[in-house]
Amino acid sequence: MRASGGTALAPAGHNGAVDHRAAERSSRDLLRSWAASPGRAVACRVVTPERSFHHQVQGNTAFPAASLLKVPLAIAAEDAIRRGDLTGTVPVAALRSGRPGALEVLAAGRDLTPTEVLGLAIALSDNDSATWLYRQVGMAAVREVLARLGCAGTRLADAERPDVGPLTGVTTADDARTLVTAAADPVDHPLVAHALRNSIQSSRIPLGATEADVRLAHKTGSLAGVAHDAAVIDCDTGTLHIAFLSRDQGDTLVTGYEMGICTRELLEVWGLGARTTTGLA
């Protein structure tokens, strides 16, 4: 079998065992092939019982962060909930900004807990929910999360842009991989991890790894010409941590499709075994 960029996939070894050196060579080729188009970066880590592999292409290059910044925001909110600093409920009407979104389908008088607002901000990437969380925890708390996780390449803009959400700034593929790996840890961040694992799927990374095959936690980010996806994909025989970032893309649907194909091929060369594909709008 051959990869989308014409790269031969690593053959399995004797009795179906993975040839780790061949898998590493093929993985580097796959990642280089995906990032060969202008305006793309990727960072990847594969962990199996026998091997740990890390590679990145343009992994420290800054990209518009888009909704990936909801991840450190949600971690900061979960910290506040755990400390007891963020309690009570908030009516849906108080969250709404008037923009179309998930909150419009809920009764205006319904009360939501902070945990439910956090879930909407991550699973549905709802900007109004994220804005409310930001008003509760503040910029300093989000920056503290980034510093704690070692995300030195992620910088937040001081000025707010309500049209794209409460937080704007830049991040890198390496930082995005670090962020989603930390956030998907059900021990350290059970609320955020639960929301990530129940994200509404899109035709990016989930194209290559679906719930029928693996346990997937992922977060997308989208702006004009920008398509990101960062994921932790847990399989029975190992875990893939990966972040794709892009900008100045002529067709973000094509970019996202190619993320999914690259993901599927990475899983195959490591013998992690995704079998089916699906895409949900």
Side-chain angles (χ1 to χ4, degrees):
M1 183 176 178
R2 300 190 72 81
S4 55
T7 303
L9 297 183
H14 182 62
N15 293 328
V18 173
D19 181 335
H20 293 109
R21 290 185 179 180
E24 290 182 3
R25 288 195 300 271
S26 291
S27 296
R28 292 187 184 96
D29 288 344
L30 287 166
L31 297 172
R32 283 195 295 264
S33 177
W34 186 86
S37 298
R40 294 186 180 185
V42 61
C44 167
R45 183 174 180 234
V46 179
V47 180
T48 72
E50 301 83 18
R51 204 79 160 188
S52 179
F53 166 78
H54 176 265
H55 190 66
Q56 55 88 6
V57 183
Q58 303 295 330
N60 296 314
T61 301
F63 283 74
S67 286
L68 293 180
L69 291 178
K70 290 186 175 77
V71 175
L73 171 62
I75 292 174
E78 180 163 2
D79 290 344
I81 292 170
R82 184 184 297 116
R83 291 192 305 267
D85 295 338
L86 189 51
T87 59
T89 60
V90 57
V92 167
L95 298 174
R96 289 177 177 169
S97 66
R99 294 173 297 196
L103 295 176
E104 295 301 316
V105 303
L106 299 178
R110 177 174 178 174
D111 291 334
L112 299 178
T113 67
T115 295
E116 290 171 322
V117 178
L118 184 158
L120 290 170
I122 293 296
L124 298 181
S125 201
D126 182 68
N127 278 342
D128 290 345
S129 297
T131 297
W132 185 83
L133 292 177
Y134 174 72
R135 298 282 184 255
Q136 311 311 306
V137 302
M139 179 81 74
V142 182
R143 285 183 166 142
E144 189 279 328
V145 168
L146 293 170
R148 186 170 79 219
L149 296 178
C151 296
T154 302
R155 299 186 300 278
L156 305 181
D158 291 325
E160 295 181 27
R161 286 188 55 190
D163 57 320
V164 295
L167 289 171
T168 57
V170 298
T171 192
T172 67
D174 264 345
D175 278 5
R177 181 187 57 79
T178 297
L179 278 170
V180 79
T181 294
D185 188 322
V187 175
D188 290 343
H189 306 109
L191 300 182
V192 183
H194 178 74
L196 285 171
R197 293 183 186 280
N198 287 279
S199 291
I200 299 301
Q201 295 188 2
S202 65
S203 54
R204 293 180 189 173
I205 288 176
L207 173 72
T210 70
E211 194 171 313
D213 307 313
V214 296
R215 294 168 297 282
L216 170 71
H218 82 120
K219 183 72 189 75
T220 60
S222 303
L223 294 169
V226 170
H228 303 332
D229 207 348
V232 176
I233 305 170
D234 292 318
C235 307
D236 288 339
T237 55
T239 303
L240 172 64
H241 308 250
I242 192 161
F244 296 97
L245 270 58
S246 67
R247 64 186 173 205
D248 304 322
Q249 301 296 289
D251 190 331
T252 56
L253 288 176
V254 171
T255 302
Y257 176 80
E258 291 173 351
M259 291 176 191
I261 295 300
C262 183
T263 299
R264 169 170 296 281
E265 292 171 340
L266 286 166
L267 291 169
E268 288 184 8
V269 301
W270 286 96
L272 299 181
R275 296 179 301 278
T276 60
T277 60
T278 190
L280 299 178

